[in-house]
Amino acid sequence: MTDFAIVPGSEAALRPWQLIIGLTGPSGAGKTVSSLRLANGIREVVGGDLGAIDTESGRMTRHLKNYGVNWYLELRAPFGSLRYLDAVKALV
């Protein structure tokens, strides 16, 4: 017995999907702007709103208008996986 299911391509194409994308890099590498640009490209294809979670004391706010962010949440310390999860749930 297996713990996965093989789904015919035609059925899979009808399922709703979501992307999980991770970006890494040192401070100042452009992760925030790259993320916003990527999100805008996705929004152009599938539509919808753009939400952003800022963990750097509001540094993201300078980009909100340029990238048409609809929903913004500033997450403050203490940081931890459950706090990030709560922030994502609140934004959604």
Side-chain angles (χ1 to χ4, degrees):
M1 180 171 276
T2 63
D3 60 348
F4 59 87
I6 297 174
V7 179
S10 58
E11 271 185 54
L14 298 176
R15 291 183 173 182
W17 53 272
Q18 76 181 54
L19 298 173
I20 299 173
I21 300 170
L23 300 176
T24 63
S27 180
K31 297 179 297 293
T32 298
V33 170
S34 294
S35 297
L36 292 170
R37 291 181 68 194
L38 180 61
N40 265 306
I42 294 168
R43 177 170 52 183
E44 287 177 13
V45 174
V46 299
D49 289 341
L50 177 57
I53 299 173
D54 186 344
T55 59
E56 295 184 332
S57 303
R59 286 182 58 197
M60 183 187 288
T61 57
R62 71 182 95 172
H63 304 294
L64 299 180
K65 285 186 181 179
N66 292 342
Y67 293 97
V69 175
N70 303 100
W71 307 98
Y72 170 79
L73 185 146
E74 187 176 317
L75 179 62
R76 299 181 182 135
F79 300 109
S81 57
L82 293 178
R83 294 252 308 135
Y84 279 96
L85 181 59
D86 288 343
V88 170
K89 287 178 180 177
L91 191 61
V92 169

